[in-house]
Amino acid sequence: MKKYLARIIFEAETPLHVGSGSSDLTLDAPINCDANGLPQINGSSLAGILRSSFSDDEKIREKIFGFQKKAAEEEGKGEGSRLVVSNAHLIYEGGRVVEGLITNDEITKSKYLKAMQAYALPLRDHCRINEKGAAKDQGKFDNCVLPKGVRFVCELELTENDKDLSADWENLLQVVSSDTFRVGGKVRSGLGRLKVHECFEKPFDFQNPDAVKEYLEHSSSFNKKTAWKTELKSGGKSDKYLCYTLEIQPEDFFTFGSGYGDEEVDMTPKKEIVVKWDGDTPDISEAKILIPASSIKGAISHRTAFYYNKLTENYAEKFKGVKEEDKPVGPKNEAVRALFGYDKQKEAEFKKPEVPADKQEKAESEKQETPAGKVFFDDMIIEENADEKVFNHVSIDRFTGGAMSGALFDEKVCGTSVEVEPDKFKPLEIEPLKIYVKKSAFEGNVNVREAFENALDDICTGMLPLGGSTMRGHGCFTGTLKKPEDNNE
């Protein structure tokens, strides 16, 4: 008998949303918290993510995570999971871990823990846009996120009895250290990317008495340090994904709106705090400029639909008099469906087909399935605060020539430079945006890949502006696109 044990410290590469599964009086989607009101990732969530990573290999999935035979096959037959996954607990000052109940005084004295309480965390406002560029019905919602840089620790334990699981254990560690490992909600809209900061991993062969003793002496408390550190670096590439890299810089002003104003202007750019670590000491930075991946994703989705319709000659004049829900835009577009997923249940509400009685049960189960998107983006946070400018706007009454009532407003936008010294500037640098696409999204239809790459090319040439106020000249970026073949994939 063998046991494989790993204690892993994760750090959020992007903001993170691990939902509680319910709403409250102020938020549509608050985060999951422990009894102290501090963030926690449930082990069941981590186990589900690990299990889904082996969805293409049923034998490995059943061997590690167990299975239950259907009643029609062998009633009551099955096997439990060999993998035990703990909850992931928050790490704070001094490398200490939030375990069990801690006193209110300890939370109050810690600047970091106070910032991690649910009411103090950053908020994200979302507005789903339809193909006409207007807000979609019931598309306004918000959620709470954990800032980039937060750290959690959890343990994985795999039990080996009669079968050699060493290769499967290595596969599990490769999954958690890969570039595509994401946790929580909105993972296809820029959130949830984790990297392995530290890993303490060791196999225990129970035929060796010393190994048994060492295993029994290992404390389950995360605040007890372990001696068996292992080098497990993030950045591994999955053979299931293709990676595109956008290296872009703004040509002029740009803004991704926060939806709120401040004491100076009515509209401000979206900014979020970042956690920086100095050894075991976390520091909450001032708010940094955020480029939300959800904004980029929406623009790319609409432009991909345009190019796919162009490649397949689905021109607008062909659809005069056709109902909106039947036009090849949004989830009705084949490229959008293949890349970004769609909701089968909503489609069923439009069509409402008559289903024979003997097939109703199967149809009902299929209706609930929602093919998930196959494109993963990352939020981008600009570490250096760009130079900002205030624009004043007024809408003119065509009859009087004066300002229209309620139409005077101003906005703050980001520039292309950073002030390093008084009256000395340098160009603003934005970290490359990596986009991961499952290979299966391009299978069977070459037009899907061509349409998607054309949309990315438009960003690099300034033909597809990003963010807000694009009709007023903001949001043009230029740069280069590195395709999978450029990355030797």
Side-chain angles (χ1 to χ4, degrees):
M1 180 180 176
K2 269 188 181 181
K3 282 189 179 287
Y4 300 88
L5 191 64
R7 179 173 292 185
I8 303 174
I9 296 175
F10 291 108
E11 183 176 317
E13 287 274 81
T14 65
L16 176 68
H17 173 74
V18 181
S20 64
S22 61
S23 60
D24 59 23
L25 293 176
T26 59
L27 281 174
D28 297 312
I31 63 162
N32 184 60
C33 293
D34 62 10
N36 303 294
L38 296 170
Q40 174 182 281
I41 304 174
N42 291 338
S44 57
S45 298
L46 295 171
I49 294 163
L50 292 172
R51 188 179 188 278
S52 67
S53 65
F54 295 96
S55 58
D56 297 335
D57 196 325
E58 187 175 355
K59 288 184 178 180
I60 293 180
R61 190 174 69 248
E62 290 187 352
K63 183 168 56 172
I64 297 176
F65 299 94
F67 60 93
Q68 178 66 52
K69 291 288 187 181
K70 294 181 180 179
E73 298 173 3
E74 287 184 70
E75 188 172 357
K77 298 293 183 181
E79 187 175 298
S81 175
R82 296 173 183 266
L83 181 68
V84 178
V85 184
S86 75
N87 293 336
H89 298 271
L90 185 70
I91 300 175
Y92 63 112
E93 286 97 340
R96 290 173 292 173
V97 180
V98 177
E99 289 184 307
L101 290 173
I102 58 178
T103 64
N104 287 330
D105 287 342
E106 189 171 357
I107 296 176
T108 304
K109 290 177 182 178
S110 169
K111 178 184 175 182
Y112 182 70
L113 290 183
K114 285 176 65 178
M116 291 298 108
Q117 289 182 299
Y119 67 85
L121 291 170
L123 301 179
R124 292 284 182 94
D125 291 290
H126 300 271
C127 185
R128 189 177 295 114
I129 303 298
N130 63 18
E131 66 278 2
K132 295 181 179 179
K136 203 167 185 178
D137 290 341
Q138 299 180 347
K140 180 73 172 69
F141 59 97
D142 52 23
N143 63 278
C144 192
V145 298
L146 294 168
K148 175 183 176 181
V150 293
R151 288 180 182 175
F152 290 89
V153 60
C154 73
E155 271 191 357
L156 308 179
E157 182 178 305
L158 183 65
T159 302
E160 174 185 298
N161 291 326
D162 53 338
K163 300 175 183 177
D164 181 13
L165 299 180
S166 57
D168 302 308
W169 178 247
E170 290 299 323
N171 286 337
L172 279 172
L173 296 182
Q174 286 178 11
V175 167
V176 299
S177 62
S178 70
D179 277 341
T180 53
F181 184 66
R182 284 163 169 76
V183 173
K186 316 291 182 187
V187 296
R188 291 167 179 81
S189 300
L191 303 183
R193 181 179 173 186
L194 300 183
K195 72 174 183 179
V196 175
H197 174 68
E198 284 185 316
C199 178
F200 305 87
E201 180 264 337
K202 190 173 184 178
F204 296 90
D205 187 350
F206 278 21
Q207 292 182 352
N208 183 343
D210 292 335
V212 175
K213 182 181 178 182
E214 186 178 2
Y215 174 80
L216 294 175
E217 290 176 349
H218 171 68
S219 175
S220 61
S221 172
F222 291 120
N223 285 306
K224 299 291 184 181
K225 304 300 180 183
T226 59
W228 20 277
K229 188 173 180 178
T230 303
E231 288 296 326
L232 182 63
K233 295 182 179 179
S234 289
K237 293 184 178 180
S238 172
D239 57 0
K240 299 178 183 178
Y241 293 85
L242 297 173
C243 179
Y244 291 85
T245 304
L246 278 174
E247 296 179 353
I248 55 176
Q249 298 298 322
E251 279 206 321
D252 209 331
F253 299 109
F254 68 95
T255 180
F256 291 83
S258 66
Y260 301 96
D262 58 16
E263 62 276 6
E264 296 179 337
V265 297
D266 300 300
M267 300 167 60
T268 58
K270 180 63 177 175
K271 295 183 178 182
E272 277 185 4
I273 59 173
V274 175
V275 178
K276 296 287 188 179
W277 291 83
D278 182 8
D280 289 334
T281 304
D283 179 56
I284 306 293
S285 75
E286 63 177 4
K288 305 290 186 181
I289 297 170
L290 171 70
I291 299 181
S294 55
S295 298
I296 300 173
K297 176 183 176 182
I300 292 175
S301 173
H302 289 303
R303 189 56 59 93
T304 299
F306 163 78
Y307 275 116
Y308 185 81
N309 287 335
K310 179 182 176 182
L311 292 168
T312 55
E313 299 183 353
N314 278 332
Y315 301 120
E317 55 266 23
K318 288 185 178 182
F319 298 95
K320 290 182 179 179
V322 177
K323 294 181 179 179
E324 287 294 326
E325 60 265 24
D326 294 327
K327 292 181 180 179
V329 292
K332 289 290 181 179
N333 184 277
E334 289 299 324
V336 174
R337 292 163 71 93
L339 291 166
F340 301 99
Y342 60 98
D343 193 333
K344 277 188 176 181
Q345 189 167 1
K346 288 186 177 179
E347 286 196 346
E349 291 173 2
F350 280 123
K351 295 180 180 179
K352 294 184 179 179
E354 294 185 6
V355 182
D358 59 332
K359 296 182 179 179
Q360 283 183 358
E361 184 177 349
K362 181 181 179 183
E364 190 65 26
S365 64
E366 290 180 348
K367 187 177 73 172
Q368 302 303 325
E369 295 176 4
T370 300
K374 298 180 178 180
V375 185
F376 294 82
F377 298 83
D378 287 338
D379 280 348
M380 293 189 292
I381 294 178
I382 302 175
E383 296 293 340
E384 300 174 314
N385 279 329
D387 187 30
E388 295 179 336
K389 180 175 176 58
V390 175
F391 282 91
N392 303 106
H393 300 280
V394 60
S395 185
I396 301 298
D397 189 308
R398 300 296 187 272
F399 180 71
T400 65
M404 292 181 66
S405 177
L408 178 62
F409 66 98
D410 44 26
E411 64 175 345
K412 188 180 292 183
V413 298
C414 303
T416 61
S417 59
V418 177
E419 187 173 11
V420 290
E421 294 179 16
D423 299 326
K424 287 188 177 181
F425 298 86
K426 71 172 185 177
L428 177 68
E429 295 182 1
I430 300 178
E431 64 180 15
L433 169 64
K434 289 188 176 182
I435 303 173
Y436 296 90
V437 185
K438 282 189 176 181
K439 293 179 179 179
S440 57
F442 295 143
E443 293 175 356
N445 192 338
V446 294
N447 289 327
V448 172
R449 180 165 185 170
E450 185 174 351
F452 180 71
E453 291 181 353
N454 286 344
L456 298 182
D457 282 330
D458 277 0
I459 295 177
C460 296
T461 58
M463 295 298 292
L464 178 57
L466 303 173
S469 302
T470 56
M471 298 302 176
R472 295 197 287 268
H474 299 332
C476 287
F477 292 78
T478 56
T480 58
L481 169 65
K482 290 185 178 179
K483 299 180 181 180
E485 50 267 28
D486 300 323
N487 297 324
N488 298 320
E489 296 183 26

